[in-house]
Amino acid sequence: MTLRVEAFRGSAVEWDRFAGSDPGFTHFHRFGWKGIIEDSFGHECAYLGAYDETGLLCGVLPLVRVSSRLFGRYLVSMPFLNYGGPLGSVEAVRALAAEACARAQASGAKLLELRSRVELPLELKVSHRKITVVLDLPGDRAALWKGFPAKLRSQIRRPQKEGVEVRFGVEQCGPFYEVFARHMRDLGTPVLPRRWFELIAERLGEDAWFCCAWLNERPVAGGVGFRWAGELEMTWAAALADSNRIAPNMAVYAAFMERAVESGLTRFNFGRCTPGSGTHRFKLQWGGHDEALWWYQLASGNGEAATPSPERGAYAWGPRLWKYLPLPVANRLGPRIVRFLP
């Protein structure tokens, strides 16, 4: 079968209906992310469709160009997120990947990266430099708590005993960002723009969950998660360093899990992390299991097989300096830098 790959020409409803029927579908394949990325960062989004001879849609690929003089050019599906690779029939996935490779080579991109949830029928190099931890959820809150080790239950109850209150809703977007921005500065990492989260809260509806933990009417921890197909992914989480003694992040994670169970979801996805890191160990303590991320890559020449990251040697000096910036300065400069770190 001969397929034609071109700019997707249908509606957002058609895209979402097709993507949602594929086993590799994730929230980040939804068409709404296109406008959020364009309006937050100004990046070019080439959302591609694979069509057969009759014009039938057989596959889709959200592809984003991230380009700067400092870091170079990248094609990523999807930047700033964990998933987004091609969906559709075997032939469509291969045709979409081939078109993405051709565009990467023609544009001089240092790296093409297709971030898939599942293994794909591609001959591209695959990276497992990031993984996630997934916890199977029981059918009710009591069973969820019973499945936690005694030490973990004690850690969850501690912030509750200290008076921490957990709240959900789009109105938590602003307080969450306040915590998140300070947390990222303290880590030495540029922060995503406030506008990014505001657009997520505005456009993605009830499947985007915003949460904050409050102590004495002050936000001290928070998270943002996305619901799809029986699963919730905790994509961003943060806590203030001066609240670590009472561990409000434990209350946030537990509240997300409880709400997921009450919503009938069956899997809790902790989001990506580096294997063997402290974050990885934190996630494993909840009783979940590792799940590989299938990130397919094409690097130019002897180029780097990863997007720019402060974890890597060439940029390791950045965090050491960034964490000492005054918070207003970090919050002003961070979004201007992080938009080029997909």
Side-chain angles (χ1 to χ4, degrees):
M1 179 173 59
T2 301
L3 296 179
R4 182 178 67 260
V5 176
E6 60 186 48
F8 176 72
R9 57 175 183 264
S11 66
V13 172
E14 181 186 1
W15 176 287
D16 287 347
R17 182 168 55 243
F18 180 91
S21 68
D22 192 274
F25 168 73
T26 68
H27 192 284
F28 313 115
H29 285 95
R30 292 182 175 174
F31 196 82
W33 285 100
K34 181 177 185 291
I36 292 174
I37 289 175
E38 290 172 339
D39 294 344
S40 296
F41 303 109
H43 294 323
E44 176 190 349
C45 295
Y47 274 43
L48 304 178
Y51 300 89
D52 69 9
E53 298 91 334
T54 69
L56 178 69
L57 182 65
C58 300
V60 294
L61 172 63
L63 195 59
V64 180
R65 187 185 308 278
V66 180
S67 178
S68 73
R69 293 181 179 179
L70 178 60
F71 299 111
R73 300 173 182 173
Y74 296 85
L75 281 180
V76 187
S77 174
M78 291 280 285
F80 317 109
L81 303 166
N82 300 333
Y83 308 121
L87 303 177
S89 67
V90 171
E91 294 82 2
V93 166
R94 289 173 174 164
L96 288 162
E99 175 64 18
C101 289
R103 292 186 178 216
Q105 292 170 331
S107 67
K110 294 175 68 176
L111 180 71
L112 165 71
E113 188 162 71
L114 306 177
R115 299 176 176 178
S116 177
R117 176 65 182 273
V118 296
E119 185 176 5
L120 297 176
L122 300 176
E123 296 182 0
L124 294 173
K125 177 183 176 181
V126 63
S127 170
H128 298 302
R129 72 179 187 274
K130 297 292 184 180
I131 61 173
T132 189
V133 175
V134 177
L135 175 67
D136 294 325
L137 297 174
D140 59 70
R141 184 177 182 274
L144 175 70
W145 273 82
K146 186 177 180 180
F148 294 150
K151 180 180 178 181
L152 186 64
R153 291 197 296 268
S154 176
Q155 291 174 320
I156 296 169
R157 291 191 178 105
R158 182 172 186 177
Q160 297 172 344
K161 292 177 180 178
E162 295 281 349
V164 169
E165 177 188 357
V166 179
R167 305 172 189 170
F168 283 91
V170 293
E171 69 278 3
Q172 301 304 314
C173 178
F176 162 78
Y177 191 79
E178 178 184 332
V179 173
F180 183 68
R182 181 176 290 272
H183 173 78
M184 296 302 287
R185 191 284 308 269
D186 291 347
L187 290 177
T189 303
V191 68
L192 287 158
R194 179 186 291 266
R195 180 64 171 158
W196 168 256
F197 293 102
E198 290 174 343
L199 289 175
I200 288 171
E202 174 187 323
R203 298 183 184 180
L204 295 183
E206 296 181 356
D207 289 338
W209 293 4
F210 285 81
C211 169
C212 265
W214 294 77
L215 180 64
N216 299 324
E217 290 306 307
R218 177 193 181 214
V220 293
V224 181
F226 299 96
R227 173 179 62 180
W228 76 86
E231 180 169 338
L232 181 86
E233 182 193 89
M234 185 82 134
T235 308
W236 296 286
L240 298 182
D242 61 14
S243 69
N244 284 345
R245 180 185 62 84
I246 61 173
N249 60 324
M250 300 299 290
V252 168
Y253 274 87
F256 267 96
M257 292 179 198
E258 290 174 347
R259 191 177 189 213
V261 167
E262 292 167 358
S263 300
L265 305 182
T266 58
R267 286 163 57 92
F268 185 89
N269 185 329
F270 285 84
R272 78 181 185 224
C273 59
T274 302
S277 66
T279 302
H280 184 206
R281 292 189 292 273
F282 170 84
K283 295 174 179 181
L284 284 175
Q285 73 177 328
W286 296 85
H289 60 274
D290 291 345
E291 187 174 279
L293 301 187
W294 296 82
W295 289 7
Y296 291 87
Q297 301 176 328
L298 176 68
S300 62
N302 295 319
E304 301 168 318
T307 52
S309 169
E311 297 176 357
R312 300 173 58 224
Y315 308 106
W317 55 269
R320 293 197 294 268
L321 298 178
W322 196 269
K323 62 179 61 178
Y324 294 108
L325 288 178
L327 186 61
V329 175
N331 287 350
R332 185 168 61 253
L333 296 179
R336 300 179 183 181
I337 296 174
V338 77
R339 66 191 297 261
F340 302 120
L341 303 175

